[in-house]
Amino acid sequence: MRPRQRREAFIIECGANYKEHFAWLQPCGNAFPHPLRLVSSADVPAIAIDECWEGMKRIFGENIWNNEAASAISLEIDGSLSREGYRAASDGAGGIRVSGADASGVIYGVFALLRELACGRCFYGANVESSPKVPLRIINHWDRTDGTIERGYAGDSLFFKDGGVSFDVARIVEYARLLASIGINAIVVNNVNVNGNDIRLISKEMIPEVAKLADIFRVYGIRLALSVHFESPVMLDCLPSADPLDENAISWWKRKCEEIYRFIPDFAGFLVKVDSEFRGGPQALGRSQAEGANMLARALQPFGGIVWWRCFIYNNLQDWRDSSIDRPKAPYELFKPQDGLFDSNVMLQVKNGPSDFQVREPNSPLLGAMKHTKECLELQITQEYTGHQIDLYSLASQWEEVFAFPSGSGRALSDLMGDEIASIAGVANVGLDDNWTGHTLAQANLYAFGRLAWNPRLSAKDVTEEWVKLTFGLDKKVNEALPDMILRSRKVYEKYNSPLGLGWMVNVAHHYGPSPEGYEFTKWGTYHRASCKAIGIDRTAKGTGFTRQYSAEIARMLEDARTCPEELLLYFHRLPYSFELKSGETLLQHIYDAHFEGVEDVEAMIELWRRLEKHIPKTAFASVSKRLEMQLENAKEWRDVINTYFFRMTGIPDKRRRKIYP
Ligand code: GCW
């Protein structure tokens, strides 16, 4: 018998058939172990019970539950486990006990058990225990209240429409459970570029509307946060100034927080972008970043709120003629001297790379450099520079490298996670499209974000294999071939988009497709400075000095073109086209080869995908096939434009005499 009635809003139809919007929570019909009862202690949240009930039916069918059964799944709280942690283990009597440290822990424990069972791991041997390495695991939406999404490639916003909060309850519930199933515990629902009507999301009129979203997410242990405009006091209430030392501005934010917490008692806090890309901020008012951030932090502090203060600050009105300014240096130069000045509920939010979510970048030297200030690592799940969810691109493969990147004293970034870096944020790749992510296989990136945020030491291979099994079932052929195709896709895209860490050869307007000099003479600070002889920026001590921002051992490695990781060569060095790579090829020949190979690799991917036709649900097969064809066109465009560009620039032909357009 069911332990309690499910509320209407939580009923998700679990048909026997694959549906794209179930994502990785598909019905699967795995081998039935034996009937079970479901028992739980009184402090277990109703949603954990519901998810366990529905989830087991999804995996094993309706008959899994039988009130008379001898064995049980029992859910309980066990305060001895670490925060948000869980244990799911055999109880020795044919059943399983799921213990969670707290309400969230039981929810995560249930989803972990379901994941194990759906992946075909043995029911009787189930034994998983885990707790998150990083306490705050956040999704950042770049959604606007008009319903559009900045850098969104999967339809309109799930949350907003026509200037206000507007959503389909069932869809948000589905989204919340998908996020909870991968361990997400906070969500920022609006864009960091807070413009126009978006500024009003914290107005008296709109807070109660936003609170309706918070109410849904809360059930799944997810706290809601908002991006705010630093000048809100001026823009919303006509105060003369937003100066963080001005008493009026200070008390405005205090009152605003009181107002927000009346409607959203567990409000997570504010995400703030200032002093960059046409945003005002403390710097524009002659104040420091710390003064700006602390004003907001002190207003949130009595309620347990946090300020995520973005470090993506640089001069976006640079003169391309001036080679003394080097954009990647800006965040460290600005923030490092202010280490220790930020309140304890401020998290400095740093993008993984010092440039901007390029296919290949070193890690930002600011990550781990702030010894007395908390940081948040920002990753981008939406594929802005990585193929717009048209081209297949495994971000798990990229993030695995980000986490492995050396961070001084023999430590990798993953070693700092949860310690110096107390939170992790991912820019969402979802929208109203039926399959959430436009490209069905891009669901794997959202899945991987959650899993790696929980445990940054998991391998890209493991989480990708998991996603494939959960999404497309235990078909051997698919399980063998698809993870590999997904995992290799990052390298494939890199070959035709950005070999040797070059980056920025994209169309300026939208960042898809090639434009070798698109950014070259702009004000954005993103140049490769290709001439007929050499290419790349010298960022060594002899050049812009950017390498000096890293610890001595890392700087030494990057300084020398012979020890610098080859895939980052042109990020740190300016080199002649004749420079010889480890393969023995010249730099120019490598660029030609990579672009030809990129197209061949996409053709091979298409071939492989075709061979899976009978094993993949029709809807997913058709939509992915269509995108792969578009990707092939894109890869060819990149190959021909970039190779022609360098051939015209250098006059040196491809030594393998392949077609280049003179
Ligand atoms: O480079 C830029 C992106 C913007 C984004 C910005 C940021 C939300 O192209 O679309 O704005 O980064 O991260 O603030």
Side-chain angles (χ1 to χ4, degrees), residues 41-105:
S41 56
D43 44 3
V44 165
I47 199 65
I49 301 167
D50 288 348
E51 289 298 338
C52 186
W53 183 266
E54 292 301 326
M56 290 296 284
K57 283 203 301 191
R58 199 166 63 228
I59 297 166
F60 299 114
E62 297 278 332
N63 297 334
I64 188 74
W65 295 121
N66 181 341
N67 204 29
E68 312 298 321
S71 311
I73 291 190
S74 43
L75 310 181
E76 61 172 30
I77 304 273
D78 175 352
S80 69
L81 295 164
S82 334
R83 201 168 167 229
E84 294 186 290
Y86 60 79
R87 185 189 315 112
S90 160
D91 64 3
I96 290 179
R97 180 172 300 120
V98 180
S99 322
D102 39 38
S104 295

Side-chain angles (χ1 to χ4, degrees), residues 142 150-151 192-193 273 277 310 312 351 356 384:
W142 285 356
E150 182 157 353
R151 313 302 178 189
V192 287
N193 290 326
K273 171 175 176 178
E277 299 188 337
R310 290 178 96 232
F312 185 62
K351 290 189 183 185
D356 187 10
E384 178 181 356

Side-chain angles (χ1 to χ4, degrees), residues 292-332:
N294 291 346
M295 170 182 61
L296 298 176
R298 284 166 201 172
L300 288 161
Q301 192 276 335
F303 309 99
I306 285 168
V307 176
W308 286 275
W309 191 260
R310 290 178 96 232
C311 299
F312 185 62
I313 302 183
Y314 65 97
N315 176 3
N316 64 290
L317 294 173
Q318 186 182 331
D319 185 344
W320 61 269
R321 301 168 192 86
D322 181 355
S323 56
S324 70
I325 311 175
D326 188 20
R327 170 170 158 177
K329 289 169 73 178
Y332 186 97

Side-chain angles (χ1 to χ4, degrees), residues 182-258:
I182 51 173
I184 299 301
N185 63 5
I187 185 162
V188 180
V189 290
N190 66 311
N191 190 3
V192 287
N193 290 326
V194 192
N195 292 327
N197 201 53
D198 300 8
I199 300 170
R200 296 188 56 252
L201 279 169
I202 55 166
S203 68
K204 215 166 48 229
E205 297 73 35
M206 287 181 90
I207 295 169
E209 295 300 305
V210 174
K212 291 178 189 161
L213 279 171
D215 291 344
I216 300 178
F217 284 114
R218 180 177 307 112
V219 175
Y220 282 90
I222 300 168
R223 293 166 71 194
L224 183 138
L226 287 170
S227 296
V228 292
H229 198 298
F230 189 75
E231 285 156 14
S232 296
V234 179
M235 293 173 142
L236 279 177
D237 278 338
C238 300
L239 258 61
S241 164
D243 184 343
L245 302 189
D246 177 312
E247 280 308 324
N248 292 323
I250 294 171
S251 45
W252 188 90
W253 282 108
K254 284 195 174 141
R255 283 197 310 278
K256 188 48 75 187
C257 286
E258 281 162 15

Side-chain angles (χ1 to χ4, degrees), residues 97-408:
R97 180 172 300 120
V98 180
S99 322
D102 39 38
S104 295
V106 196
I107 298 173
Y108 299 142
V110 164
F111 279 120
L113 173 66
L114 297 174
R115 181 167 62 234
E116 288 293 297
L117 299 176
C119 280
R121 294 192 267 265
C122 172
F123 178 84
Y124 302 99
N127 190 353
V128 280
E129 183 166 350
S130 188
S131 61
K133 258 203 109 210
V134 185
L136 282 158
R137 306 170 300 280
I138 315 156
I139 292 291
N140 285 183
H141 277 259
W142 285 356
D143 298 23
R144 309 181 182 100
T145 55
D146 66 3
T148 62
I149 304 178
E150 182 157 353
R151 313 302 178 189
Y153 312 106
D156 281 347
S157 170
L158 295 162
F159 312 131
F160 307 115
K161 199 178 156 183
D162 300 333
V165 177
S166 168
F167 57 88
D168 170 356
V169 175
R171 194 78 202 264
I172 303 301
V173 171
E174 270 188 288
Y175 186 42
R177 62 203 288 274
L178 281 176
L179 294 184
S181 77
I182 51 173
I184 299 301
N185 63 5
I187 185 162
V188 180
V189 290
N190 66 311
N191 190 3
V192 287
N193 290 326
V194 192
N195 292 327
N197 201 53
D198 300 8
I199 300 170
R200 296 188 56 252
L201 279 169
I202 55 166
S203 68
K204 215 166 48 229
E205 297 73 35
M206 287 181 90
I207 295 169
E209 295 300 305
V210 174
K212 291 178 189 161
L213 279 171
D215 291 344
I216 300 178
F217 284 114
R218 180 177 307 112
V219 175
Y220 282 90
I222 300 168
R223 293 166 71 194
L224 183 138
L226 287 170
S227 296
V228 292
H229 198 298
F230 189 75
E231 285 156 14
S232 296
V234 179
M235 293 173 142
L236 279 177
D237 278 338
C238 300
L239 258 61
S241 164
D243 184 343
L245 302 189
D246 177 312
E247 280 308 324
N248 292 323
I250 294 171
S251 45
W252 188 90
W253 282 108
K254 284 195 174 141
R255 283 197 310 278
K256 188 48 75 187
C257 286
E258 281 162 15
E259 209 173 303
I260 293 173
Y261 279 90
R262 265 204 302 281
F263 288 91
I264 311 175
D266 59 345
F267 184 66
F270 296 140
L271 172 61
V272 201
K273 171 175 176 178
V274 294
D275 291 316
S276 184
E277 299 188 337
F278 313 107
R279 242 101 277 278
Q283 200 166 292
L285 298 164
R287 306 296 183 197
S288 70
Q289 295 297 312
E291 283 167 332
N294 291 346
M295 170 182 61
L296 298 176
R298 284 166 201 172
L300 288 161
Q301 192 276 335
F303 309 99
I306 285 168
V307 176
W308 286 275
W309 191 260
R310 290 178 96 232
C311 299
F312 185 62
I313 302 183
Y314 65 97
N315 176 3
N316 64 290
L317 294 173
Q318 186 182 331
D319 185 344
W320 61 269
R321 301 168 192 86
D322 181 355
S323 56
S324 70
I325 311 175
D326 188 20
R327 170 170 158 177
K329 289 169 73 178
Y332 186 97
E333 279 175 353
L334 180 63
F335 283 94
K336 177 68 181 166
Q338 293 181 53
D339 189 15
L341 301 180
F342 293 88
D343 282 8
S344 61
N345 60 331
V346 176
M347 306 247 172
L348 294 185
Q349 186 159 317
V350 184
K351 290 189 183 185
N352 62 280
S355 290
D356 187 10
F357 296 136
Q358 298 300 290
V359 172
R360 181 72 68 170
E361 289 185 51
N363 279 10
S364 166
L366 202 51
L367 289 166
M370 303 293 278
K371 298 297 173 204
H372 311 285
T373 309
K374 289 192 189 126
E375 293 190 284
C376 171
L377 168 67
E378 181 177 315
L379 301 173
Q380 192 183 44
I381 318 172
T382 193
Q383 291 175 233
E384 178 181 356
Y385 291 95
T386 53
H388 282 205
Q389 283 143 244
I390 296 170
D391 297 29
L392 181 62
Y393 188 94
S394 162
L395 281 155
S397 311
Q398 178 167 348
W399 296 332
E400 183 176 66
E401 291 163 2
V402 168
F403 286 124
F405 197 88
S407 295

